Amino acid sequence: TVDTVADTSWTFGKLGFVSGDSESDVVIGGTRVSVGDSGTELTYGLGAVFNVTRNFGIRAEWENVDDADISMLSIGIQYKFQ
């Protein structure tokens, strides 16, 4: 039998939250200044997987963190243990 594109690939969406903390110490004119931030932001993304074989696939994914000016694009491989 011949597999169709629908049999060998699929798309997905992601929605969730990310939480983080950051701290930095800076010396300005001999004075140490500590700066920090923490928060929880909405994160969302889209992706697709193309299955090359039954267990091996190629994956592409884009993800964005709202209000944090962070965006990520990744391409990778995945292996399913069956």
Side-chain angles (χ1 to χ4, degrees):
T1 64
V2 176
D3 288 337
T4 65
V5 173
D7 293 331
T8 60
S9 63
W10 50 278
T11 58
F12 60 90
K14 298 173 72 170
L15 179 64
F17 293 94
V18 63
S19 179
D21 296 311
S22 66
E23 293 184 25
S24 180
D25 292 328
V26 179
V27 177
I28 301 173
T31 303
R32 171 169 268 159
V33 178
S34 294
V35 179
D37 192 17
S38 65
T40 302
E41 300 292 339
L42 175 69
T43 183
Y44 53 90
L46 301 170
V49 176
F50 176 73
N51 294 314
V52 179
T53 68
R54 183 176 181 185
N55 296 72
F56 177 74
I58 299 171
R59 178 182 186 111
E61 183 174 338
W62 169 79
E63 191 168 346
N64 188 64
V65 179
D66 222 19
D67 295 334
D69 199 27
I70 298 172
S71 189
M72 178 183 77
L73 177 65
S74 64
I75 298 174
I77 59 173
Q78 70 179 28
Y79 185 82
K80 290 187 262 180
F81 296 92
Q82 295 181 356

